[in-house]
């Protein structure tokens, strides 16, 4: 199939599965954030619950300043105390004199504690500053939990499912299902020889939509190859077009003084105006491999990206690949695709993608050796170029396939001399393998 038609069909199929409030991601079909309330103990006027937040997204993390959980009580519940998290507002507790509840809000908002807030009574997975790692990168750090003592309920053994659950991670974009009664959680205790079941379990599943989170894209892709003088730049205005002047802090020209670099969304002025750019460059071509240089550039003046990650959908990843300066793994997509790779930084080396300044931009890069599948390999139709790229879970704007740097062919408008030079370059790259 002609690559350009494949691209168009894939693009149309993806957006056919999107709605205004949600978008199914074929590269991460089971991704979600699950909120679980486990009632572990009854009290004289309520219960004690352990609330767990589990990030099942393979490449979407919850970054600083962390998650925020909200919901609405359906009766007159109050929170007597919490361990491992804190409610942001106490609310009106004037009807209580001793003791004073931790929170009397009908719609409490709860945030995680920082690591120094951990105490002996805190749950094991608490106090991470609200940060949840992507499950494919660091599963041990992809969950969070806290304990909550709920009271002011009539009768014994009373518990009412909260409603209108909201999750921010840290900004908008998540839509949560109604909280529902499910099978009670069962866990192993006493060294794994005894099963204990909680009294009740409630669950809600939250899914992410880029359309709700961002009014404009945040990332774009540019392409180049050794066999073509053409550089395919990011599409113009990929992330919006904004004028460069002192009144518009979101676009800072290279000659602007540091006093103008103050806006939280201030980015270097470009034709595409994206805070982030991913460049895929085909360096050389061997008999059995492509050599690729992959570079991520941060054009933000005021934002670093900690623990960044990159997802690349490319046919070459269905074969063995070698990456030199990033960690990498193949994503599990339930058979939808077997050629999707996840990249992230190496500890103490390049996990931090630094912000730009007046003199230079921040960047991280690696070289990749892609093994060719000779059963499907073709020189034409952009085989060596990626299909889709995500940065930190956000879909990067790809150039139009018609603009991709392609190998010359019989219908090429280039001159015969130009084509001859290109083929000589390719031949010499093949010869390198023999030396």
């Amino acid at each position: 199939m002609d690559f350009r038609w494949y691209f168009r069909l894939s693009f149309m199929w993806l957006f056919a599965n999107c709605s205004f409030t949600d978008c199914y991601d074929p590269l991460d079909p089971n991704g979600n954030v699950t909120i679980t309330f486990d009632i572990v103990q009854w009290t004289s006027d309520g219960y004690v619950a352990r609330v767990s937040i589990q990030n099942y997204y393979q490449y979407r993390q919850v970054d600083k300043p962390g998650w925020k959980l909200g919901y609405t009580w359906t009766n007159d519940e109050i929170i007597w105390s919490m361990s491992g998290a804190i409610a942001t507002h106490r609310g009106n507790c004037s009807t209580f004199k001793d003791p004073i509840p931790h929170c009397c809000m009908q719609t409490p908002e709860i945030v995680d504690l920082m690591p120094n807030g951990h105490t002996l009574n805190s749950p094991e997975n608490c106090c991470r500053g609200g940060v949840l790692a992507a499950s494919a990168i660091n599963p041990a750090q992809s969950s969070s939990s806290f304990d909550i003592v709920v009271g002011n309920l009539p009768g014994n053994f009373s518990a009412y499912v909260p409603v209108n659950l909201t999750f921010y991670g840290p900004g908008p974009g998540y839509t949560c299902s109604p909280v529902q009664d499910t099978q009670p959680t069962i866990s192993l205790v006493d060294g794994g020889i005894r099963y204990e079941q909680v009294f009740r379990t409630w669950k809600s599943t939250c899914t992410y939509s880029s359309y709700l989170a961002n009014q404009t894209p945040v990332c774009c892709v540019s392409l180049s190859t050794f066999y073509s003088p053409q550089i395919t730049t990011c599409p113009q205005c990929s992330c919006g077009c904004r004028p460069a002047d002192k009144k518009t802090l979101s676009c800072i020209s290279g000659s602007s003084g540091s006093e103008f670099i103050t806006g939280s969304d201030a980015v270097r002025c470009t034709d595409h105006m994206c805070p982030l750019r991913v460049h895929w460059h085909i360096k050389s071509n061997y008999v059995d491999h492509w050599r690729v240089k992959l570079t991520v550039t941060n054009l933000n003046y005021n934002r670093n990206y900690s623990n960044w990650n990159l997802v690349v959908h490319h046919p070459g990843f269905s074969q063995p690949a070698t990456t030199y300066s990033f960690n990498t793994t193949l994503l599990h997509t339930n058979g939808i695709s077997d050629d999707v790779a996840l990249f992230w930084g190496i500890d103490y080396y390049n996990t931090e993608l630094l912000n730009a300044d007046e003199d230079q931009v921040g960047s991280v890069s690696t070289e990749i050796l892609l093994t060719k599948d000779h059963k499907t390999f073709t020189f034409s139709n952009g085989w060596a170029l990626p299909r889709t790229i995500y940065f930190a879970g956000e879909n990067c704007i790809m150039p139009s396939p018609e603009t991709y740097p392609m190998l010359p062919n019989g219908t090429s408008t280039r001159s015969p001399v130009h084509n001859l030079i290109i083929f000589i370059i390719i031949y010499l790259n093949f010869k390198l393998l023999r030396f």
Side-chain angles (χ1 to χ4, degrees):
M1 178 184 291
D2 183 277
F3 167 66
R4 287 168 287 187
W5 280 107
Y6 172 83
F7 183 93
R8 290 190 184 113
L9 289 173
S10 300
F11 188 85
M12 292 169 63
W13 179 85
L14 174 62
F15 280 87
N17 288 273
C18 295
S19 66
F20 179 76
T21 58
D22 192 19
C23 180
Y24 171 74
D25 184 357
L27 302 187
D28 196 5
N30 298 319
N32 68 76
V33 174
T34 298
I35 317 295
T36 304
F37 295 77
D38 286 322
I39 296 179
V40 297
Q41 181 180 337
W42 297 109
T43 63
S44 59
D45 69 338
Y47 56 88
V48 179
R50 174 154 295 179
V51 182
S52 302
I53 304 172
Q54 177 66 57
N55 181 19
Y56 288 109
Y57 280 108
Q58 295 187 81
Y59 52 82
R60 179 177 301 284
Q61 68 176 9
V62 174
D63 209 345
K64 297 177 181 178
W67 55 261
K68 180 188 293 184
L69 178 66
Y71 54 85
T72 301
W73 296 121
T74 56
N75 281 269
D76 295 323
E77 293 99 326
I78 53 92
I79 300 175
W80 281 118
S81 63
M82 297 185 68
S83 176
I86 189 171
T88 58
H89 296 80
R90 172 181 285 178
N92 183 5
C93 293
S94 59
T95 58
F96 299 89
K97 294 186 178 179
D98 188 26
I100 303 297
H102 176 77
C103 176
C104 299
M105 298 281 293
Q106 185 183 11
T107 56
E109 287 187 344
I110 298 169
V111 297
D112 198 9
L113 296 176
M114 300 304 292
N116 59 10
H118 199 289
T119 65
L120 292 177
N121 296 325
S122 299
E124 181 180 358
N125 292 332
C126 87
C127 314
R128 292 173 174 163
V131 174
L132 299 176
S135 61
I137 295 176
N138 191 347
Q141 299 289 322
S142 65
S143 62
S144 184
S145 60
F146 59 90
D147 291 339
I148 182 172
V149 180
V150 180
N152 202 38
L153 288 170
N156 294 327
F157 315 123
S158 297
Y160 302 90
V161 176
V163 297
N164 301 330
L165 190 143
T166 59
F167 182 79
Y168 290 86
Y174 289 89
T175 301
C176 299
S177 68
V179 183
Q180 295 182 339
D181 251 315
T182 64
Q183 288 292 329
T185 301
I186 299 175
S187 56
L188 283 171
V189 297
D190 295 332
I193 62 174
R194 170 179 165 83
Y195 292 91
E196 282 191 353
Q197 177 177 303
V198 302
F199 296 110
R200 291 183 68 178
T201 295
W202 305 323
K203 284 190 178 181
S204 173
T205 299
C206 304
T207 53
Y208 181 83
S209 168
S210 295
Y211 301 103
L212 294 178
N214 302 300
Q215 294 182 350
T216 58
V218 298
C219 176
C220 66
V221 177
S222 57
L223 308 166
S224 61
T225 65
F226 71 90
Y227 54 76
S228 173
Q230 175 187 359
I231 296 177
T232 302
T233 60
C234 286
Q236 190 169 10
C237 301
S238 294
C239 301
C241 283
R242 288 162 281 185
D245 59 35
K246 296 180 181 179
K247 296 180 181 179
T248 307
L249 297 179
S250 57
C251 177
I252 307 298
S253 65
S255 60
S256 296
S258 59
E259 66 270 21
F260 301 124
I261 306 175
T262 57
S264 60
D265 62 344
V267 299
R268 185 179 290 249
C269 281
T270 58
D271 290 337
H272 54 79
M273 283 310 303
C274 290
L276 295 150
R277 184 188 70 226
V278 179
H279 187 73
W280 182 276
H281 174 62
I282 309 298
K283 291 189 66 176
S284 52
N285 178 29
Y286 305 114
V287 173
D288 295 316
H289 297 81
W290 293 107
R291 180 178 286 273
V292 175
K293 184 172 183 180
L294 178 60
T295 303
V296 186
T297 301
N298 183 9
L299 299 167
N300 284 278
Y301 280 107
N302 295 312
R303 181 175 179 183
N304 297 335
Y305 289 87
S306 300
N307 300 315
W308 57 269
N309 67 70
L310 198 70
V311 172
V312 181
H313 180 198
H314 187 289
F317 292 125
S318 62
Q319 302 296 314
T322 303
T323 304
Y324 293 99
S325 301
F326 295 165
N327 288 307
T328 185
T329 187
L330 291 179
L331 285 184
H332 301 290
T333 58
N334 289 354
I336 295 175
S337 179
D338 60 356
D339 49 12
V340 181
L342 172 64
F343 301 93
W344 68 98
I346 298 173
D347 286 343
Y348 309 109
Y349 177 57
N350 57 0
T351 56
E352 187 90 356
L353 177 53
L354 298 178
N355 61 283
D357 57 31
E358 293 180 77
D359 300 321
Q360 61 184 1
V361 295
S363 68
V364 291
S365 65
T366 187
E367 292 199 359
I368 306 169
L369 280 181
L370 289 174
T371 303
K372 297 175 183 176
D373 181 357
H374 290 286
K375 296 179 181 179
T376 60
F377 169 74
T378 173
F379 276 114
S380 60
N381 298 327
W383 186 94
L385 301 172
R387 306 297 191 253
T388 307
I389 293 181
Y390 289 0
F391 179 87
E394 297 295 338
N395 196 5
C396 298
I397 300 299
M398 297 289 296
S400 170
E402 285 79 5
T403 66
Y404 280 20
M406 297 287 185
L407 280 167
N409 54 41
T411 61
S412 174
T413 58
R414 297 186 179 98
S415 67
V417 174
H418 195 172
N419 289 345
L420 178 61
I421 293 173
I422 291 173
F423 279 118
I424 291 174
I425 294 173
I426 295 174
Y427 174 76
L428 291 175
N429 274 274
F430 275 114
K431 295 289 286 183
L432 287 176
L433 189 63
R434 302 180 181 180
F435 291 96

